PDB file of all heavy atoms in Angstrom:
ATOM      1  N   ALA A   1      31.858  -2.465   2.253  1.00 90.00           N
ATOM      2  CA  ALA A   1      30.600  -2.074   2.890  1.00 90.00           C
ATOM      3  C   ALA A   1      29.658  -1.444   1.876  1.00 90.00           C
ATOM      4  O   ALA A   1      28.444  -1.693   1.903  1.00 90.00           O
ATOM      5  CB  ALA A   1      30.871  -1.109   4.040  1.00 90.00           C
ATOM      6  N   ILE A   2      30.191  -0.642   0.974  1.00 91.00           N
ATOM      7  CA  ILE A   2      29.363  -0.025  -0.071  1.00 91.00           C
ATOM      8  C   ILE A   2      28.782  -1.088  -0.985  1.00 91.00           C
ATOM      9  O   ILE A   2      27.587  -1.054  -1.316  1.00 91.00           O
ATOM     10  CB  ILE A   2      30.182   1.015  -0.864  1.00 91.00           C
ATOM     11  CG1 ILE A   2      30.477   2.226   0.021  1.00 91.00           C
ATOM     12  CG2 ILE A   2      29.454   1.433  -2.136  1.00 91.00           C
ATOM     13  CD1 ILE A   2      31.474   3.202  -0.573  1.00 91.00           C
ATOM     14  N   VAL A   3      29.606  -2.042  -1.389  1.00 91.00           N
ATOM     15  CA  VAL A   3      29.134  -3.128  -2.260  1.00 91.00           C
ATOM     16  C   VAL A   3      28.040  -3.929  -1.549  1.00 91.00           C
ATOM     17  O   VAL A   3      27.003  -4.252  -2.140  1.00 91.00           O
ATOM     18  CB  VAL A   3      30.311  -4.035  -2.681  1.00 91.00           C
ATOM     19  CG1 VAL A   3      29.819  -5.310  -3.344  1.00 91.00           C
ATOM     20  CG2 VAL A   3      31.260  -3.277  -3.598  1.00 91.00           C
ATOM     21  N   ALA A   4      28.240  -4.226  -0.280  1.00 91.00           N
ATOM     22  CA  ALA A   4      27.244  -4.987   0.488  1.00 91.00           C
ATOM     23  C   ALA A   4      25.946  -4.193   0.633  1.00 91.00           C
ATOM     24  O   ALA A   4      24.847  -4.759   0.511  1.00 91.00           O
ATOM     25  CB  ALA A   4      27.809  -5.345   1.856  1.00 91.00           C
ATOM     26  N   ALA A   5      26.070  -2.891   0.892  1.00 92.00           N
ATOM     27  CA  ALA A   5      24.867  -2.060   1.034  1.00 92.00           C
ATOM     28  C   ALA A   5      24.103  -1.985  -0.281  1.00 92.00           C
ATOM     29  O   ALA A   5      22.863  -2.045  -0.290  1.00 92.00           O
ATOM     30  CB  ALA A   5      25.258  -0.660   1.503  1.00 92.00           C
ATOM     31  N   ARG A   6      24.813  -1.861  -1.390  1.00 91.00           N
ATOM     32  CA  ARG A   6      24.145  -1.833  -2.695  1.00 91.00           C
ATOM     33  C   ARG A   6      23.437  -3.151  -2.976  1.00 91.00           C
ATOM     34  O   ARG A   6      22.318  -3.158  -3.486  1.00 91.00           O
ATOM     35  CB  ARG A   6      25.152  -1.535  -3.800  1.00 91.00           C
ATOM     36  CG  ARG A   6      25.566  -0.101  -3.858  1.00 91.00           C
ATOM     37  CD  ARG A   6      26.523   0.145  -5.006  1.00 91.00           C
ATOM     38  NE  ARG A   6      26.893   1.548  -5.060  1.00 91.00           N
ATOM     39  CZ  ARG A   6      27.982   1.990  -5.621  1.00 91.00           C
ATOM     40  NH1 ARG A   6      28.831   1.162  -6.212  1.00 91.00           N
ATOM     41  NH2 ARG A   6      28.245   3.283  -5.629  1.00 91.00           N
ATOM     42  N   ALA A   7      24.090  -4.253  -2.658  1.00 91.00           N
ATOM     43  CA  ALA A   7      23.466  -5.566  -2.867  1.00 91.00           C
ATOM     44  C   ALA A   7      22.223  -5.717  -2.002  1.00 91.00           C
ATOM     45  O   ALA A   7      21.190  -6.224  -2.467  1.00 91.00           O
ATOM     46  CB  ALA A   7      24.474  -6.673  -2.568  1.00 91.00           C
ATOM     47  N   ALA A   8      22.301  -5.269  -0.763  1.00 92.00           N
ATOM     48  CA  ALA A   8      21.144  -5.354   0.134  1.00 92.00           C
ATOM     49  C   ALA A   8      20.002  -4.482  -0.382  1.00 92.00           C
ATOM     50  O   ALA A   8      18.834  -4.898  -0.367  1.00 92.00           O
ATOM     51  CB  ALA A   8      21.536  -4.944   1.551  1.00 92.00           C
ATOM     52  N   ALA A   9      20.332  -3.293  -0.842  1.00 88.00           N
ATOM     53  CA  ALA A   9      19.293  -2.392  -1.368  1.00 88.00           C
ATOM     54  C   ALA A   9      18.657  -2.968  -2.623  1.00 88.00           C
ATOM     55  O   ALA A   9      17.433  -2.891  -2.798  1.00 88.00           O
ATOM     56  CB  ALA A   9      19.891  -1.019  -1.661  1.00 88.00           C
ATOM     57  N   ALA A  10      19.455  -3.565  -3.487  1.00 87.00           N
ATOM     58  CA  ALA A  10      18.915  -4.178  -4.707  1.00 87.00           C
ATOM     59  C   ALA A  10      17.993  -5.339  -4.362  1.00 87.00           C
ATOM     60  O   ALA A  10      16.933  -5.502  -4.977  1.00 87.00           O
ATOM     61  CB  ALA A  10      20.055  -4.653  -5.608  1.00 87.00           C
ATOM     62  N   GLU A  11      18.357  -6.119  -3.360  1.00 90.00           N
ATOM     63  CA  GLU A  11      17.511  -7.238  -2.940  1.00 90.00           C
ATOM     64  C   GLU A  11      16.204  -6.725  -2.331  1.00 90.00           C
ATOM     65  O   GLU A  11      15.127  -7.267  -2.603  1.00 90.00           O
ATOM     66  CB  GLU A  11      18.251  -8.126  -1.942  1.00 90.00           C
ATOM     67  CG  GLU A  11      17.453  -9.305  -1.440  1.00 90.00           C
ATOM     68  CD  GLU A  11      17.032 -10.298  -2.518  1.00 90.00           C
ATOM     69  OE1 GLU A  11      17.511 -10.228  -3.670  1.00 90.00           O
ATOM     70  OE2 GLU A  11      16.199 -11.166  -2.209  1.00 90.00           O
ATOM     71  N   GLU A  12      16.281  -5.679  -1.542  1.00 90.00           N
ATOM     72  CA  GLU A  12      15.065  -5.091  -0.975  1.00 90.00           C
ATOM     73  C   GLU A  12      14.161  -4.553  -2.076  1.00 90.00           C
ATOM     74  O   GLU A  12      12.934  -4.732  -2.024  1.00 90.00           O
ATOM     75  CB  GLU A  12      15.410  -3.980   0.013  1.00 90.00           C
ATOM     76  CG  GLU A  12      15.941  -4.485   1.328  1.00 90.00           C
ATOM     77  CD  GLU A  12      16.210  -3.363   2.309  1.00 90.00           C
ATOM     78  OE1 GLU A  12      15.553  -2.309   2.222  1.00 90.00           O
ATOM     79  OE2 GLU A  12      17.067  -3.555   3.176  1.00 90.00           O
ATOM     80  N   ALA A  13      14.733  -3.918  -3.068  1.00 87.00           N
ATOM     81  CA  ALA A  13      13.940  -3.401  -4.192  1.00 87.00           C
ATOM     82  C   ALA A  13      13.300  -4.547  -4.958  1.00 87.00           C
ATOM     83  O   ALA A  13      12.138  -4.461  -5.369  1.00 87.00           O
ATOM     84  CB  ALA A  13      14.815  -2.559  -5.114  1.00 87.00           C
ATOM     85  N   ARG A  14      14.031  -5.638  -5.135  1.00 88.00           N
ATOM     86  CA  ARG A  14      13.489  -6.805  -5.844  1.00 88.00           C
ATOM     87  C   ARG A  14      12.307  -7.394  -5.072  1.00 88.00           C
ATOM     88  O   ARG A  14      11.257  -7.689  -5.651  1.00 88.00           O
ATOM     89  CB  ARG A  14      14.574  -7.864  -6.036  1.00 88.00           C
ATOM     90  CG  ARG A  14      14.142  -9.064  -6.894  1.00 88.00           C
ATOM     91  CD  ARG A  14      15.206 -10.148  -6.907  1.00 88.00           C
ATOM     92  NE  ARG A  14      15.302 -10.845  -5.635  1.00 88.00           N
ATOM     93  CZ  ARG A  14      14.446 -11.773  -5.213  1.00 88.00           C
ATOM     94  NH1 ARG A  14      13.404 -12.109  -5.962  1.00 88.00           N
ATOM     95  NH2 ARG A  14      14.611 -12.377  -4.053  1.00 88.00           N
ATOM     96  N   LEU A  15      12.473  -7.536  -3.770  1.00 92.00           N
ATOM     97  CA  LEU A  15      11.388  -8.077  -2.948  1.00 92.00           C
ATOM     98  C   LEU A  15      10.184  -7.139  -2.929  1.00 92.00           C
ATOM     99  O   LEU A  15       9.036  -7.596  -2.973  1.00 92.00           O
ATOM    100  CB  LEU A  15      11.885  -8.344  -1.523  1.00 92.00           C
ATOM    101  CG  LEU A  15      12.923  -9.459  -1.390  1.00 92.00           C
ATOM    102  CD1 LEU A  15      13.456  -9.533   0.036  1.00 92.00           C
ATOM    103  CD2 LEU A  15      12.343 -10.795  -1.826  1.00 92.00           C
ATOM    104  N   ALA A  16      10.436  -5.846  -2.883  1.00 92.00           N
ATOM    105  CA  ALA A  16       9.340  -4.871  -2.917  1.00 92.00           C
ATOM    106  C   ALA A  16       8.610  -4.951  -4.251  1.00 92.00           C
ATOM    107  O   ALA A  16       7.372  -4.880  -4.293  1.00 92.00           O
ATOM    108  CB  ALA A  16       9.876  -3.467  -2.675  1.00 92.00           C
ATOM    109  N   GLU A  17       9.357  -5.111  -5.334  1.00 91.00           N
ATOM    110  CA  GLU A  17       8.724  -5.222  -6.648  1.00 91.00           C
ATOM    111  C   GLU A  17       7.845  -6.472  -6.727  1.00 91.00           C
ATOM    112  O   GLU A  17       6.737  -6.435  -7.275  1.00 91.00           O
ATOM    113  CB  GLU A  17       9.776  -5.251  -7.753  1.00 91.00           C
ATOM    114  CG  GLU A  17       9.170  -5.223  -9.135  1.00 91.00           C
ATOM    115  CD  GLU A  17      10.206  -5.252 -10.239  1.00 91.00           C
ATOM    116  OE1 GLU A  17      11.409  -5.154  -9.979  1.00 91.00           O
ATOM    117  OE2 GLU A  17       9.776  -5.371 -11.390  1.00 91.00           O
ATOM    118  N   LEU A  18       8.324  -7.579  -6.160  1.00 93.00           N
ATOM    119  CA  LEU A  18       7.498  -8.793  -6.126  1.00 93.00           C
ATOM    120  C   LEU A  18       6.218  -8.565  -5.325  1.00 93.00           C
ATOM    121  O   LEU A  18       5.138  -9.006  -5.725  1.00 93.00           O
ATOM    122  CB  LEU A  18       8.293  -9.957  -5.527  1.00 93.00           C
ATOM    123  CG  LEU A  18       9.415 -10.513  -6.383  1.00 93.00           C
ATOM    124  CD1 LEU A  18      10.213 -11.559  -5.602  1.00 93.00           C
ATOM    125  CD2 LEU A  18       8.865 -11.115  -7.670  1.00 93.00           C
ATOM    126  N   ALA A  19       6.332  -7.868  -4.197  1.00 94.00           N
ATOM    127  CA  ALA A  19       5.152  -7.557  -3.382  1.00 94.00           C
ATOM    128  C   ALA A  19       4.182  -6.677  -4.156  1.00 94.00           C
ATOM    129  O   ALA A  19       2.956  -6.876  -4.089  1.00 94.00           O
ATOM    130  CB  ALA A  19       5.571  -6.893  -2.076  1.00 94.00           C
ATOM    131  N   VAL A  20       4.700  -5.725  -4.908  1.00 94.00           N
ATOM    132  CA  VAL A  20       3.847  -4.849  -5.716  1.00 94.00           C
ATOM    133  C   VAL A  20       3.134  -5.666  -6.783  1.00 94.00           C
ATOM    134  O   VAL A  20       1.931  -5.491  -7.016  1.00 94.00           O
ATOM    135  CB  VAL A  20       4.672  -3.703  -6.346  1.00 94.00           C
ATOM    136  CG1 VAL A  20       3.889  -2.986  -7.429  1.00 94.00           C
ATOM    137  CG2 VAL A  20       5.105  -2.725  -5.272  1.00 94.00           C
ATOM    138  N   ARG A  21       3.835  -6.580  -7.416  1.00 93.00           N
ATOM    139  CA  ARG A  21       3.196  -7.432  -8.434  1.00 93.00           C
ATOM    140  C   ARG A  21       2.068  -8.259  -7.839  1.00 93.00           C
ATOM    141  O   ARG A  21       1.002  -8.401  -8.434  1.00 93.00           O
ATOM    142  CB  ARG A  21       4.226  -8.364  -9.079  1.00 93.00           C
ATOM    143  CG  ARG A  21       5.155  -7.669 -10.028  1.00 93.00           C
ATOM    144  CD  ARG A  21       6.088  -8.667 -10.670  1.00 93.00           C
ATOM    145  NE  ARG A  21       7.125  -8.012 -11.417  1.00 93.00           N
ATOM    146  CZ  ARG A  21       8.144  -8.630 -11.952  1.00 93.00           C
ATOM    147  NH1 ARG A  21       8.270  -9.933 -11.822  1.00 93.00           N
ATOM    148  NH2 ARG A  21       9.055  -7.970 -12.628  1.00 93.00           N
ATOM    149  N   ARG A  22       2.307  -8.811  -6.638  1.00 95.00           N
ATOM    150  CA  ARG A  22       1.239  -9.573  -5.963  1.00 95.00           C
ATOM    151  C   ARG A  22       0.058  -8.665  -5.645  1.00 95.00           C
ATOM    152  O   ARG A  22      -1.103  -9.036  -5.832  1.00 95.00           O
ATOM    153  CB  ARG A  22       1.769 -10.227  -4.690  1.00 95.00           C
ATOM    154  CG  ARG A  22       2.606 -11.462  -4.929  1.00 95.00           C
ATOM    155  CD  ARG A  22       2.867 -12.231  -3.637  1.00 95.00           C
ATOM    156  NE  ARG A  22       3.551 -11.429  -2.639  1.00 95.00           N
ATOM    157  CZ  ARG A  22       4.864 -11.313  -2.524  1.00 95.00           C
ATOM    158  NH1 ARG A  22       5.652 -11.943  -3.342  1.00 95.00           N
ATOM    159  NH2 ARG A  22       5.392 -10.570  -1.563  1.00 95.00           N
ATOM    160  N   ALA A  23       0.338  -7.466  -5.169  1.00 94.00           N
ATOM    161  CA  ALA A  23      -0.729  -6.514  -4.825  1.00 94.00           C
ATOM    162  C   ALA A  23      -1.529  -6.128  -6.069  1.00 94.00           C
ATOM    163  O   ALA A  23      -2.759  -6.005  -6.006  1.00 94.00           O
ATOM    164  CB  ALA A  23      -0.138  -5.274  -4.155  1.00 94.00           C
ATOM    165  N   ILE A  24      -0.856  -5.946  -7.200  1.00 93.00           N
ATOM    166  CA  ILE A  24      -1.562  -5.625  -8.446  1.00 93.00           C
ATOM    167  C   ILE A  24      -2.494  -6.763  -8.812  1.00 93.00           C
ATOM    168  O   ILE A  24      -3.659  -6.537  -9.162  1.00 93.00           O
ATOM    169  CB  ILE A  24      -0.568  -5.326  -9.581  1.00 93.00           C
ATOM    170  CG1 ILE A  24       0.120  -3.983  -9.344  1.00 93.00           C
ATOM    171  CG2 ILE A  24      -1.275  -5.325 -10.941  1.00 93.00           C
ATOM    172  CD1 ILE A  24       1.297  -3.722 -10.271  1.00 93.00           C
ATOM    173  N   GLY A  25      -2.005  -7.986  -8.710  1.00 93.00           N
ATOM    174  CA  GLY A  25      -2.851  -9.140  -9.014  1.00 93.00           C
ATOM    175  C   GLY A  25      -4.060  -9.222  -8.101  1.00 93.00           C
ATOM    176  O   GLY A  25      -5.176  -9.496  -8.549  1.00 93.00           O
ATOM    177  N   LEU A  26      -3.844  -8.948  -6.819  1.00 92.00           N
ATOM    178  CA  LEU A  26      -4.956  -8.980  -5.870  1.00 92.00           C
ATOM    179  C   LEU A  26      -5.955  -7.855  -6.133  1.00 92.00           C
ATOM    180  O   LEU A  26      -7.169  -8.055  -6.008  1.00 92.00           O
ATOM    181  CB  LEU A  26      -4.423  -8.907  -4.440  1.00 92.00           C
ATOM    182  CG  LEU A  26      -3.657 -10.147  -3.972  1.00 92.00           C
ATOM    183  CD1 LEU A  26      -2.998  -9.883  -2.625  1.00 92.00           C
ATOM    184  CD2 LEU A  26      -4.569 -11.364  -3.905  1.00 92.00           C
ATOM    185  N   ALA A  27      -5.453  -6.675  -6.495  1.00 91.00           N
ATOM    186  CA  ALA A  27      -6.349  -5.560  -6.806  1.00 91.00           C
ATOM    187  C   ALA A  27      -7.195  -5.891  -8.034  1.00 91.00           C
ATOM    188  O   ALA A  27      -8.404  -5.608  -8.065  1.00 91.00           O
ATOM    189  CB  ALA A  27      -5.557  -4.274  -7.035  1.00 91.00           C
ATOM    190  N   ARG A  28      -6.585  -6.502  -9.029  1.00 90.00           N
ATOM    191  CA  ARG A  28      -7.333  -6.890 -10.230  1.00 90.00           C
ATOM    192  C   ARG A  28      -8.380  -7.949  -9.901  1.00 90.00           C
ATOM    193  O   ARG A  28      -9.512  -7.882 -10.380  1.00 90.00           O
ATOM    194  CB  ARG A  28      -6.376  -7.398 -11.302  1.00 90.00           C
ATOM    195  CG  ARG A  28      -5.570  -6.300 -11.938  1.00 90.00           C
ATOM    196  CD  ARG A  28      -4.574  -6.818 -12.937  1.00 90.00           C
ATOM    197  NE  ARG A  28      -3.851  -5.703 -13.546  1.00 90.00           N
ATOM    198  CZ  ARG A  28      -2.760  -5.840 -14.261  1.00 90.00           C
ATOM    199  NH1 ARG A  28      -2.242  -7.038 -14.482  1.00 90.00           N
ATOM    200  NH2 ARG A  28      -2.162  -4.780 -14.769  1.00 90.00           N
ATOM    201  N   GLU A  29      -7.984  -8.907  -9.070  1.00 91.00           N
ATOM    202  CA  GLU A  29      -8.931  -9.949  -8.666  1.00 91.00           C
ATOM    203  C   GLU A  29     -10.088  -9.345  -7.874  1.00 91.00           C
ATOM    204  O   GLU A  29     -11.256  -9.681  -8.105  1.00 91.00           O
ATOM    205  CB  GLU A  29      -8.215 -11.002  -7.835  1.00 91.00           C
ATOM    206  CG  GLU A  29      -9.093 -12.159  -7.416  1.00 91.00           C
ATOM    207  CD  GLU A  29      -8.351 -13.186  -6.587  1.00 91.00           C
ATOM    208  OE1 GLU A  29      -7.107 -13.254  -6.668  1.00 91.00           O
ATOM    209  OE2 GLU A  29      -9.034 -13.925  -5.866  1.00 91.00           O
ATOM    210  N   ALA A  30      -9.777  -8.444  -6.970  1.00 89.00           N
ATOM    211  CA  ALA A  30     -10.820  -7.796  -6.168  1.00 89.00           C
ATOM    212  C   ALA A  30     -11.767  -7.008  -7.055  1.00 89.00           C
ATOM    213  O   ALA A  30     -12.988  -7.033  -6.848  1.00 89.00           O
ATOM    214  CB  ALA A  30     -10.186  -6.877  -5.125  1.00 89.00           C
ATOM    215  N   ARG A  31     -11.217  -6.320  -8.050  1.00 86.00           N
ATOM    216  CA  ARG A  31     -12.058  -5.532  -8.955  1.00 86.00           C
ATOM    217  C   ARG A  31     -13.060  -6.429  -9.669  1.00 86.00           C
ATOM    218  O   ARG A  31     -14.206  -6.068  -9.849  1.00 86.00           O
ATOM    219  CB  ARG A  31     -11.205  -4.782  -9.971  1.00 86.00           C
ATOM    220  CG  ARG A  31     -12.031  -3.815 -10.788  1.00 86.00           C
ATOM    221  CD  ARG A  31     -11.227  -3.202 -11.923  1.00 86.00           C
ATOM    222  NE  ARG A  31     -11.959  -2.154 -12.588  1.00 86.00           N
ATOM    223  CZ  ARG A  31     -13.024  -2.358 -13.384  1.00 86.00           C
ATOM    224  NH1 ARG A  31     -13.477  -3.559 -13.597  1.00 86.00           N
ATOM    225  NH2 ARG A  31     -13.634  -1.342 -13.949  1.00 86.00           N
ATOM    226  N   GLU A  32     -12.614  -7.609 -10.073  1.00 85.00           N
ATOM    227  CA  GLU A  32     -13.504  -8.537 -10.760  1.00 85.00           C
ATOM    228  C   GLU A  32     -14.583  -9.084  -9.833  1.00 85.00           C
ATOM    229  O   GLU A  32     -15.674  -9.433 -10.279  1.00 85.00           O
ATOM    230  CB  GLU A  32     -12.694  -9.683 -11.359  1.00 85.00           C
ATOM    231  CG  GLU A  32     -11.802  -9.261 -12.508  1.00 85.00           C
ATOM    232  CD  GLU A  32     -10.904 -10.380 -12.996  1.00 85.00           C
ATOM    233  OE1 GLU A  32     -11.102 -11.542 -12.589  1.00 85.00           O
ATOM    234  OE2 GLU A  32      -9.990 -10.086 -13.782  1.00 85.00           O
ATOM    235  N   LEU A  33     -14.269  -9.157  -8.553  1.00 85.00           N
ATOM    236  CA  LEU A  33     -15.219  -9.721  -7.593  1.00 85.00           C
ATOM    237  C   LEU A  33     -16.236  -8.712  -7.070  1.00 85.00           C
ATOM    238  O   LEU A  33     -17.253  -9.098  -6.502  1.00 85.00           O
ATOM    239  CB  LEU A  33     -14.460 -10.329  -6.411  1.00 85.00           C
ATOM    240  CG  LEU A  33     -13.582 -11.532  -6.733  1.00 85.00           C
ATOM    241  CD1 LEU A  33     -12.777 -11.934  -5.506  1.00 85.00           C
ATOM    242  CD2 LEU A  33     -14.421 -12.694  -7.237  1.00 85.00           C
TER     243      LEU A  33
END
């Protein structure tokens, strides 16, 4: 259960990081516009 919870948390962090990267790109694009 601990191993599964760690894997799930790592996947959530990875997905959150991808969302943050997209948001950074959108913020930069908005700034230019």
Side-chain angles (χ1 to χ4, degrees):
I2 290 170
V3 169
R6 284 182 179 157
E11 179 62 11
E12 286 183 27
R14 186 187 72 77
L15 293 174
E17 186 180 352
L18 289 174
V20 167
R21 286 183 189 172
R22 283 192 301 272
I24 289 169
L26 291 171
R28 287 177 178 167
E29 183 180 338
R31 188 188 188 289
E32 291 174 11
L33 295 174

